[in-house]
Amino acid sequence: MSQQPMSLSRLLVEKSSYLRNPNERDRIFAKGKKIEVVYVIVSKGIPLFRTEGAGDVTTIDIIPRGVAREGSTAYVSVPAILPEKIQAKLRRRMLEVLRSRFNNEVREHVKKYKKLGFSRLGEDGSWNCFIMPPSGEGETDLGMCGFCPSCNILGAVITKSENNYAKTSYGIKSRVVHDIAFATVPYEKCVVELTHNKVSEGISYTGRSLYEEPHIMPGVVFIGKLAMYDVTEREAKLVLHSLATISRMGGGETKYGSVQVIIVGLRAGDRETVSSYDIARHVIEKTGGALVEPETVVKEIVNYIRGKGFDVVIDEQKGIDSLDTVVAISDEELAKLWGEDNYFYSENVVAHIARAEKKTVGGEEEEKKEKKSKGRGKEEVQ
Ligand SMILES: [Zn+2]
C-alpha cells in the first residue's frame, strides 16, 4: 500500500525545529541539527563515472548479507559515484541557480558584503563566484568569492584575496555532507563498452582516435544520501532545488551524461541514521543484484527508509518519468537568503576571523592599520 507522499516544502516547515533561525546568534557554530536526504540518480544516457580517467569505471565491492560461502564470490562489485563528484556538481548547479536568479534586489544586498571586508564583488553589487582551480601549489581557488550562499553552504577558503580581514587562510566547512552513491547492479551487468571513433576528412584513417570507453547503461539507479547540517529553511530549499535539478553528470556529460535526480525521502533529527551503503545493500539483497526496472529499485528504497522513520516525498507506484521532486524557491526567498540568512552567516564568519586575527602576533597592529585604510575609503575592488 502506498501512502500519500508529503511535499518537500511542507515537510521543511514541519521539521522547522531542525532548521536554524536565519538571525540566530553564533550561527556558524554547529548545533547538530541534521536533515538526511535520500535520493537517486537514474542514468538516462550512457554516463561515464570514472576516477582514473579514460577506460575506467569507479567500482566498489559490497558484500550482501548471507551470501558469503566458502569458495564462492561473496561480493558484488558495483559502479559508484564518489562524494566529491556529487558535491562539485551540486556546487556548479547551485551557482547556476544563483546567477540565473540574480536581480537588482540581490545586487543591493551584495553591496553590503563590502562592509564585511569581502573583495570579490563590484562597487555596483556585481558578483560572480566560479570554480577555477589554483594555478600553483599552495594557492587557493581563483574564482570562489567566499561569501555567497554557495560558498557559505558548500564550503570555501577565505584568504586575504577574498577578505581584507584575513591574514591567513580560513576554511568554511561544508554544511552539506555526502555518502557515496552506489549502483545496485554488478559492473558486468550495467556497463557497456562502446567504441568511439573520430574520422578525418579527405583521407580516411582512424589511428589513435579509435578508442573504447566503458559507459553505464540507461536505467541504472545510483542510491545517494546527503545530510544538511544546521541550515535555515531557505538554505535547505536552495540545496534541494539544486540537487533535484541536476540533469547531467559525469565525464563527457554534454554528450553522455543525461541523468534524473529524484529525492525519495527526508528525515530530520540530531544524528545521521542511515547510509547509502545500508540502502544499496538492502536493495541488492532483495533483487539479487539483477538489472531490474528503476521503479523496482525505488520501491525497495522507499520500503527501507520508511521503516527507518523517513518521510517519503514521492508516490513510489508511479513511473520514474512522472516523478518530479523539484522544490520551488521563489525570487523573494532567494533575495532574503542573500540579504538575511547568508549575510548574517558571513557577518559571523568575519567576526570569527577578526577574533582569530587578534590572537596572532601582530594581529592588533594589523587591525589598526586596517581601520586607518578603511577610514580613507581605500578598498580593493575586483
Ligand atoms: Zn561564492
Side-chain angles (χ1 to χ4, degrees):
M1 274 299 288
S2 75
Q3 293 168 21
Q4 201 56 33
M6 200 189 269
S7 89
L8 271 169
S9 354
R10 240 180 72 206
L11 252 182
L12 288 177
V13 174
E14 207 174 82
K15 310 288 177 191
S16 59
S17 59
Y18 289 96
L19 294 165
R20 296 287 288 261
N21 181 315
N23 299 309
E24 197 179 316
R25 198 174 168 268
D26 286 341
R27 231 191 76 209
I28 56 166
F29 299 111
K31 266 191 175 173
K33 289 174 181 279
K34 294 168 184 175
I35 296 183
E36 294 178 281
V37 180
V38 169
Y39 63 93
V40 292
I41 299 169
V42 186
S43 161
K44 292 288 183 84
I46 45 168
L48 296 165
F49 296 134
R50 56 197 183 192
T51 323
E52 306 292 334
D56 162 70
V57 173
T58 310
T59 56
I60 291 179
D61 298 343
I62 289 184
I63 306 175
R65 194 165 24 190
V67 301
R69 274 178 224 101
E70 217 173 319
S72 74
T73 310
Y75 63 84
V76 184
S77 191
V78 297
I81 311 172
L82 295 181
E84 60 263 36
K85 309 259 173 201
I86 303 167
Q87 176 83 336
K89 185 68 208 192
L90 184 64
R91 187 189 296 272
R92 293 211 302 273
R93 182 63 201 130
M94 191 181 283
L95 285 169
E96 269 177 17
V97 174
L98 292 170
R99 287 185 206 118
S100 73
R101 308 279 288 277
F102 199 85
N103 56 26
N104 284 335
E105 201 183 345
V106 174
R107 191 183 293 273
E108 286 309 308
H109 290 310
V110 168
K111 285 182 191 169
K112 298 191 295 188
Y113 288 82
K114 189 120 259 180
K115 282 189 291 194
L116 300 178
F118 288 101
S119 48
R120 294 194 174 185
L121 65 150
E123 291 288 357
D124 59 349
S126 57
W127 159 87
N128 192 12
C129 179
F130 53 96
I131 301 168
M132 191 175 171
S135 52
E137 231 174 275
E139 290 174 29
T140 53
D141 187 283
L142 298 166
M144 287 208 268
C145 71
F147 66 87
C148 74
S150 160
C151 284
N152 277 341
I153 299 170
L154 300 178
V157 173
I158 297 181
T159 65
K160 56 182 181 306
S161 62
E162 286 82 26
N163 189 292
N164 303 328
Y165 292 105
K167 298 290 176 286
T168 173
S169 143
Y170 297 89
I172 298 175
K173 280 185 86 166
S174 176
R175 282 175 289 143
V176 176
V177 299
H178 299 270
D179 279 5
I180 294 164
F182 294 102
T184 59
V185 187
Y187 177 91
E188 317 83 72
K189 290 187 199 162
C190 66
V191 170
V192 56
E193 289 257 353
L194 292 180
T195 304
H196 298 281
N197 196 357
K198 241 181 215 170
V199 185
S200 75
E201 283 190 286
I203 303 165
S204 180
Y205 72 100
T206 52
R208 299 192 68 156
S209 63
L210 189 66
Y211 61 99
E212 283 203 341
E213 187 80 90
H215 293 263
I216 304 290
M217 279 158 42
V220 174
V221 178
F222 289 81
I223 303 172
K225 197 209 101 170
L226 61 79
M228 298 183 281
Y229 289 0
D230 300 289
V231 289
T232 67
E233 185 187 335
R234 288 183 282 255
E235 286 172 338
K237 275 191 176 177
L238 179 61
V239 172
L240 295 175
H241 178 88
S242 305
L243 177 71
T245 52
I246 290 173
S247 56
R248 283 181 179 272
M249 261 185 118
E253 65 172 27
T254 49
K255 292 168 285 185
Y256 314 125
S258 182
V259 296
Q260 181 188 2
V261 175
I262 304 165
I263 295 171
V264 183
L266 182 151
R267 184 187 178 281
D270 48 19
R271 64 190 182 99
E272 288 189 68
T273 56
V274 299
S275 67
S276 60
Y277 166 77
D278 300 324
I279 309 167
R281 197 164 168 238
H282 165 83
V283 174
I284 292 169
E285 281 162 13
K286 288 284 176 187
T287 62
L291 182 62
V292 292
E293 53 185 36
E295 285 81 3
T296 305
V297 177
V298 170
K299 269 183 214 161
E300 285 303 337
I301 298 171
V302 167
N303 287 342
Y304 185 82
I305 65 170
R306 202 168 258 151
K308 298 280 177 190
F310 273 69
D311 286 296
V312 172
V313 297
I314 53 161
D315 178 354
E316 73 271 23
Q317 305 300 328
K318 284 188 177 170
I320 50 156
D321 57 328
S322 56
L323 294 178
D324 180 0
T325 51
V326 178
V327 54
I329 181 162
S330 68
D331 280 351
E332 197 192 344
E333 283 172 308
L334 271 173
K336 279 206 165 134
L337 174 64
W338 277 97
E340 294 176 21
D341 312 36
N342 191 69
Y343 184 76
F344 193 68
Y345 199 86
S346 281
E347 247 179 1
N348 274 217
V349 168
V350 173
H352 199 57
I353 290 175
R355 267 199 295 271
E357 292 293 345
K358 266 183 216 158
K359 283 179 196 151
T360 59
V361 184
E364 299 272 20
E365 278 298 310
E366 289 296 319
E367 227 203 4
K368 276 178 206 157
K369 263 193 257 165
E370 191 77 47
K371 274 183 189 149
K372 259 189 196 168
S373 76
K374 275 187 78 120
R376 292 198 301 269
K378 182 175 164 271
E379 284 175 10
E380 270 177 50
V381 184
Q382 192 163 336

